[in-house]
Amino acid sequence: MNLYQFSLNGNPVQLHAPSDRLLVEVLRENFQIGSVKNGCAPQQQCGACLILINGIPKNSCALDMEKVQGKEVLTLEGVSADERQLYATAFQAAAGLQCGFCTPGLVLRIKWLADRGRPMSRAEIARALTGHLCRCTGYVKIIDAVELIFEAKRSGRLPQLGDSGAVGQSLPRYQGSELALGTRPFVADIEVAGMLHGAVVLSPHARARVVGIDTSRAAALAGVEKVITAKDVPGDRWVGQIYKDWPVLVAEGEEVRYVGDVLAIVAAESPSIARAAAALVQVAYEPLPPVLDPVEAIKPGAPQVNPRHDNVLSLTKIERGEVDAALASSAHVVSGTWRTQRIEHLFLEPEAALAVPLEGGKLHLLTQGQGVFDDRRQVASVLGEPEENIFAELVPNGGAFGGKEDMTIQAQTALAARLTGRPVRIELNREESIRMHPKRHPITMEYTVGCDAQGHLTAARINLLGDSGAYASVGGKVLERAAGHACGPYRIPAIDIEARAAYTNNPPCGAMRGFGVNQTSFAIEGCLDLLAKKVGIDGWEMRWRNAVRIGDVFSSGQVLDKSLGLERTLLAVKDAYYGARGSGRAVGLACGVKNSGIGNGAIEKGKCRLEVEADASVSLYSGFTEMGQGLFTVIIQFAVEVTGLPPSVFRPKVNSRFELGSGQTTGSRGTLLAGRATIDAATKLKKDLDAGQTLRDLVGRIYEGETTIDDTTAPGQTKNGIIKTHTSFGWSSQVVVLDEAGAVERVHVAQDVGRAINPQQCEAQIEGAVAMGLGYALTEELPCRDGMPVTFKPREIGVLRAPHMPKVDITLIEEHEPEGPFGAKGIGELGLVPTAGAVAAALEAFDGVRRMTLPMKDSPAARAIDVGLIKDGDRDQWH
Ligand code: FES
Ligand code: FES
């Protein structure tokens, strides 16, 4: 331990620390600096931990204490109140933040840029932000915020913030100011007196038998409170959203099934002691040959990966019409195999959980998951306690995109708190996060599609095989959704679709933005382009001739009878498509469709409680997660629209105070379900307000709202003779234009959102989705070698940075959805569904190469993006 002295936000500070201790840890743990986030320490890849040291921006995870000795450190906490107000206002006015985890680091960088006083173009700003990773925004509106800040510095006037919360207005994000400045805590920012810190021991093997676990050396380390293994679990060790096939701790004698399996948990007085002790846990393994290829996994005789299910996790079949005959009589037929890659969510906030024992034997669980009631149910089961013992609370998270639907460390944290009797917090680092949570499926897709001489589609035979990894998660449902959307938004009279999800010893795959639909979109759009060429028509005309209209049958068998804005989206991008072609540019077009709501026979409930508080505010309880998508803001807008009260009255909360029982925030359904329930509750409050009562008169009153969707049908089934697989669908067309060198220059998006509740946030969601879609198309992947991801570095995983974003033009189409709240439908996922298909078409127009495997790293568009360094040869070798 050495003594270090430095200036922190203008105040002299000192502490004893090891010389290799990182400044990010010191600032967060010793000085409770909340604006400095840990997104990837010690990798120095995300920019969330940015500080100014002697006036120069540096990632604080790059600085050990020796480098800080005697220096001046500035964080956002040390910036003047006026400046803080300017930055927060600009980010809100521009909608430049979503989950907010990356934002304080960006704000400090922008302060540094603004202080230099040099004018900058948008391209220069983008380059200056290249050290910062934002997984939510697509950077467009961050740069808008920078321009507002520069302008305000010039003019001396703050940007204006709208305050109308009415439906159709761009109300600034709820808690946007606090998020921008880093004062709204994420789970890892929350400190509790007497808190222990946890660390987990993960399997280094994708498949091995656990011969023995020796915790004695770890337990003997000073500062260690307890080391926990499977034999300490009082309840059911196995959890899972659909199948209970996933142990929260793997026991001696059992097999580990992937490299994120947990063998032991350490609870200790500090994070560093917990991690040091975890490294001392000795696990003896008998390595076994892992099952890594889904094709091999589903062959008879393959080793069974998961003891609770055979290796075919799911099989979905959809058949309609005479496919063989229709193909035989088609004028043109194309066949091919399309392949997509495993994708890491790379939400900026790694998973964290905090569990606090309460008086009376209850436990307060602070989670950042996507389903607070599912988390509570599963944690109670692991603890062997009734659910009522757990008070579960959602802390809005720093991005999720489906990757926080399954629990990661909620149960382990709760267990550690129970067994020690003390509060325990566990935070994963970036490597642990990537190892543990499920990914987007790699899917191999065999398509044969025919059309007549005019290009009208006649038939499709489709076979899908997805690698679902070691645990079920929602992998079967993903392949089911892939099958149900496999024909895209097109009319195909005869179809034969078969989709399987296979267990392997790779990382589990489950929900990720698009839920299986991105994959099949890439394939069907490729088929349309190939057929269009044979027919001799262009991509727009091919899609126009085949786009579903009212009365047509969707892939899943549902007759489409409402809110179908696809034609309008095609018309909206028509000029952009032909205009760019006319000017000699390589252009690609693709269309997309995505369901809102889980559907496929699921009973879905949304519940809301409005409680009038003593200060005349109204707590707005719903069961769904705010994860950057803006759910809290739009449900406030619903409440405002119904009651006429100002938006500042409403305070969204998600916890188990009321038995709201909502499931996962998934399937673009948060707005649909929470919105309908909020409108129901708000209508009751409005009745009392109309009767002349004020909120002061109504203190203590609780208004209940509820909605149920129970009329959807499972694949292959009907209700009252009707197939209705989904409540609602969003529709989209995207045009990708390449520049003269083959890089993506511009993306035109027209998307049917039903009703734009908050137009600015709709645009922001779509921009973020396009960024993710371009990464999916060109640079992103997470290959594994022997079941272990080959990298944990965001740059190598290939997520786009600010300079890589093209111009994005968005047209919002409003085709009223009668079942949606005020006509709205889900928008979160659809924005990236067509992107890869449109990029593939543009690339073929550029160089004549039809690419059928993602990511398309061999393309000029990918080479123009300086991320994604995993070599092609490595990817092939490592499957
Ligand atoms: S935490 Fe320092 S750069 Fe990511
Ligand atoms: S707002 Fe940037 S990562 Fe979420």
Side-chain angles (χ1 to χ4, degrees):
M1 290 277 195
N2 298 326
L3 177 65
Y4 294 98
Q5 297 176 312
F6 58 99
S7 160
L8 176 57
N9 294 328
N11 301 311
V13 296
Q14 61 179 37
L15 85 160
H16 286 93
S19 60
D20 60 354
R21 188 115 190 269
L22 297 178
L23 180 59
V24 62
E25 297 165 355
V26 166
L27 292 176
R28 291 180 52 77
E29 293 165 23
N30 296 74
F31 297 105
Q32 283 72 54
I33 297 289
S35 71
V36 173
K37 307 295 185 195
N38 182 348
C40 70
Q43 296 185 10
Q44 310 164 37
Q45 297 234 326
C46 75
C49 67
L50 195 89
I51 50 104
L52 300 186
I53 184 160
N54 284 1
I56 305 297
K58 288 273 183 210
N59 289 323
S60 56
C61 72
L63 301 169
D64 62 30
M65 292 313 293
E66 288 295 323
K67 298 198 181 92
V68 183
Q69 184 75 284
K71 303 269 174 61
E72 288 182 9
V73 174
L74 182 74
T75 71
L76 265 185
E77 285 79 356
V79 171
S80 74
D82 283 353
E83 275 193 283
R84 286 164 62 85
Q85 190 190 1
L86 166 59
Y87 303 136
T89 307
F91 265 81
Q92 290 177 86
L97 78 165
Q98 293 185 23
C99 78
F101 196 83
C102 69
T103 317
L106 277 155
V107 168
L108 200 60
R109 167 86 63 185
I110 293 160
K111 172 197 161 39
W112 178 76
L113 290 173
D115 285 351
R116 294 190 311 171
R118 287 190 215 144
M120 297 175 80
S121 67
R122 286 184 74 88
E124 288 171 326
I125 295 168
R127 278 199 294 279
L129 302 183
T130 194
H132 294 264
L133 193 59
C134 176
R135 192 57 155 158
C136 302
T137 63
Y139 306 101
V140 177
K141 288 185 168 30
I142 292 174
I143 297 174
D144 293 347
V146 179
E147 292 193 315
L148 286 180
I149 289 166
F150 284 10
E151 173 55 29
K153 292 240 174 191
R154 272 193 296 273
S155 67
R157 284 195 299 278
L158 279 178
Q160 291 296 304
L161 286 182
D163 60 359
S164 166
V167 162
Q169 299 297 310
S170 292
L171 179 70
R173 175 168 295 267
Y174 179 69
Q175 294 185 323
S177 175
E178 295 89 334
L179 285 164
L181 299 173
T183 57
R184 208 236 54 210
F186 294 88
V187 173
D189 299 323
I190 299 172
E191 297 281 330
V192 178
M195 185 173 79
L196 294 167
H197 298 265
V200 289
V201 177
L202 300 183
S203 167
H205 300 284
R207 183 167 174 244
R209 199 171 66 81
V210 180
V211 178
I213 305 174
D214 180 355
T215 61
S216 57
R217 287 176 64 209
L221 192 70
V224 170
E225 182 76 10
K226 188 153 188 73
V227 184
I228 297 159
T229 62
K231 56 183 180 298
D232 299 310
V233 177
D236 187 348
R237 254 188 318 121
W238 297 76
V239 297
Q241 291 193 61
I242 295 170
Y243 298 116
K244 278 186 147 190
D245 69 345
W246 196 333
V248 297
L249 283 154
V250 177
E252 289 177 342
E254 291 179 351
E255 280 184 20
V256 289
R257 299 171 195 90
Y258 88 117
V259 297
D261 271 331
V262 181
L263 281 305
I265 310 159
V266 177
E269 297 294 343
S270 75
S272 52
I273 296 173
R275 288 190 179 279
L280 294 175
V281 173
Q282 292 176 303
V283 185
Y285 297 96
E286 178 195 335
L288 300 167
V291 180
L292 301 175
D293 184 340
V295 175
E296 297 301 318
I298 61 173
K299 285 183 179 166
Q304 186 167 328
V305 170
N306 191 296
R308 303 217 163 171
H309 204 290
D310 62 51
N311 287 355
V312 180
L313 168 61
S314 70
L315 172 60
T316 306
K317 281 173 177 277
I318 304 174
E319 289 173 283
R320 194 166 56 248
E322 298 297 326
V323 171
D324 285 333
L327 286 174
S329 60
S330 294
H332 306 286
V333 175
V334 295
S335 288
T337 302
W338 279 259
R339 292 186 172 83
T340 63
Q341 74 281 45
R342 182 180 300 102
I343 288 282
E344 159 62 27
H345 302 72
L346 212 76
F347 36 72
L348 256 281
E349 177 210 23
E351 295 90 336
L354 170 61
V356 184
L358 302 175
E359 282 183 15
K362 296 210 168 190
L363 190 76
H364 184 182
L365 174 71
L366 294 104
T367 171
Q368 38 77 84
Q370 288 181 238
V372 71
F373 289 93
D374 282 354
D375 287 356
R376 180 178 73 150
R377 173 177 50 77
Q378 295 188 87
V379 165
S381 167
V382 171
L383 297 180
E385 299 180 19
E387 286 185 43
E388 301 73 55
N389 270 17
I390 314 291
F391 178 71
E393 178 177 2
L394 168 82
V395 181
N397 64 42
F401 313 112
K404 292 177 178 172
E405 288 191 13
D406 296 280
M407 294 199 302
T408 46
I409 31 74
Q410 288 92 329
Q412 292 87 345
T413 307
L415 185 61
R418 266 292 180 249
L419 295 177
T420 60
R422 290 174 60 180
V424 175
R425 191 179 73 204
I426 300 182
E427 294 168 55
L428 298 183
N429 63 27
R430 184 55 64 186
E431 175 177 335
E432 291 162 344
S433 169
I434 291 174
R435 279 170 71 170
M436 289 186 76
H437 67 249
K439 314 298 174 209
R440 178 184 291 151
H441 286 76
I443 303 184
T444 300
M445 301 170 286
E446 293 167 2
Y447 270 65
T448 299
V449 183
C451 71
D452 66 18
Q454 286 74 44
H456 299 110
L457 298 169
T458 51
R461 171 161 288 118
I462 297 167
N463 198 296
L464 313 174
L465 176 60
D467 180 351
S468 236
Y471 297 109
S473 178
V474 292
K477 296 293 171 194
V478 170
L479 268 293
E480 185 182 287
R481 209 63 82 256
H485 287 64
C487 298
Y490 305 115
R491 185 188 323 109
I492 307 184
I495 56 174
D496 178 358
I497 304 169
E498 209 167 86
R500 288 179 180 77
Y503 278 101
T504 67
N505 292 111
N506 289 315
C509 287
M512 186 177 180
R513 199 177 198 176
F515 213 84
V517 180
N518 310 315
Q519 292 92 326
T520 50
S521 173
F522 178 56
I524 187 70
E525 294 297 325
C527 292
L528 257 76
D529 287 334
L530 294 173
L531 287 169
K533 232 178 181 179
K534 287 179 181 275
V535 176
I537 58 177
D538 62 49
W540 192 92
E541 188 58 39
M542 184 72 187
R543 283 159 181 84
W544 182 254
R545 290 183 191 183
N546 289 287
V548 284
R549 271 83 171 176
I550 293 291
D552 282 336
V553 181
F554 188 59
S555 310
S556 63
Q558 179 168 346
V559 177
L560 299 166
D561 59 356
K562 62 184 166 78
S563 187
L564 209 174
L566 181 61
E567 280 182 292
R568 289 177 65 189
T569 69
L570 269 168
L571 290 171
V573 300
K574 187 175 182 182
D575 286 350
Y577 179 79
Y578 287 112
R581 277 167 65 105
S583 62
R585 289 299 167 87
V587 183
L589 166 68
C591 297
V593 54
K594 180 71 185 60
N595 59 294
S596 286
I598 293 175
N600 278 3
I603 308 277
E604 302 183 68
K605 283 186 184 297
K607 295 185 185 178
C608 170
R609 297 290 181 273
L610 294 176
E611 183 171 24
V612 185
E613 304 285 358
D615 62 357
S617 68
V618 178
S619 293
L620 198 174
Y621 291 88
S622 79
F624 293 104
T625 294
E626 170 61 61
M627 47 191 172
Q629 84 283 41
L631 178 69
F632 282 0
T633 310
V634 298
I635 57 176
I636 286 175
Q637 290 188 248
F638 292 135
V640 166
E641 181 74 24
V642 173
T643 63
L645 293 167
S648 56
V649 162
F650 295 99
R651 299 190 185 151
K653 293 177 180 168
V654 180
N655 61 44
S656 54
R657 163 152 161 55
F658 299 104
E659 292 298 328
L660 301 186
S662 311
Q664 296 291 316
T665 309
T666 186
S668 297
R669 69 177 190 159
T671 297
L672 182 71
L673 289 171
R676 282 170 33 163
T678 300
I679 291 167
D680 188 27
T683 303
K684 293 168 185 165
L685 167 58
K686 170 74 168 150
K687 213 169 156 197
D688 282 352
L689 294 172
D690 284 348
Q693 302 198 70
T694 66
L695 287 176
R696 292 267 170 222
D697 301 328
L698 299 171
V699 166
R701 289 288 297 272
I702 295 168
Y703 299 89
E704 300 183 353
E706 187 162 341
T707 189
T708 302
I709 294 173
D710 59 3
D711 62 348
T712 65
T713 52
Q717 294 184 5
T718 60
K719 244 180 209 167
N720 304 322
I722 292 171
I723 296 175
K724 182 183 181 184
T725 51
H726 295 293
T727 301
S728 172
F729 295 96
W731 310 91
S732 173
S733 296
Q734 292 191 3
V735 169
V736 167
V737 182
L738 305 187
D739 67 15
E740 285 161 357
V744 178
E745 180 179 73
R746 194 176 272 260
V747 181
H748 299 271
V749 181
Q751 185 165 324
D752 171 14
V753 300
R755 175 86 189 270
I757 304 301
N758 185 316
Q760 203 180 22
Q761 286 198 22
C762 286
E763 282 181 13
Q765 278 288 295
I766 293 169
E767 286 161 1
V770 167
M772 211 177 253
L774 290 172
Y776 186 51
L778 295 168
T779 51
E780 287 189 41
E781 60 181 336
L782 189 72
C784 291
R785 179 171 48 193
D786 297 330
M788 178 70 86
V790 301
T791 185
F792 303 103
K793 293 184 177 158
R795 269 191 188 278
E796 293 182 357
I797 288 168
V799 176
L800 267 55
R801 305 274 170 160
H804 308 133
M805 269 305 280
K807 178 104 176 58
V808 183
D809 298 310
I810 296 170
T811 305
L812 300 178
I813 304 289
E814 296 189 311
E815 193 71 36
H816 184 87
E817 168 51 64
E819 295 190 69
F822 291 105
K825 53 180 80 168
I827 61 166
E829 299 173 280
L830 176 57
L832 76 155
V833 167
T835 312
V839 173
L843 285 168
E844 185 178 24
F846 183 81
D847 61 12
V849 180
R850 169 53 53 177
R851 294 167 174 87
M852 298 166 74
T853 298
L854 296 183
M856 297 178 279
K857 293 178 75 172
D858 65 331
S859 66
R863 284 195 293 273
I865 299 172
D866 58 346
V867 293
L869 302 176
I870 300 164
K871 296 183 193 75
D872 284 351
D874 291 342
R875 182 174 69 244
D876 294 339
Q877 176 194 343
W878 293 332
H879 180 66

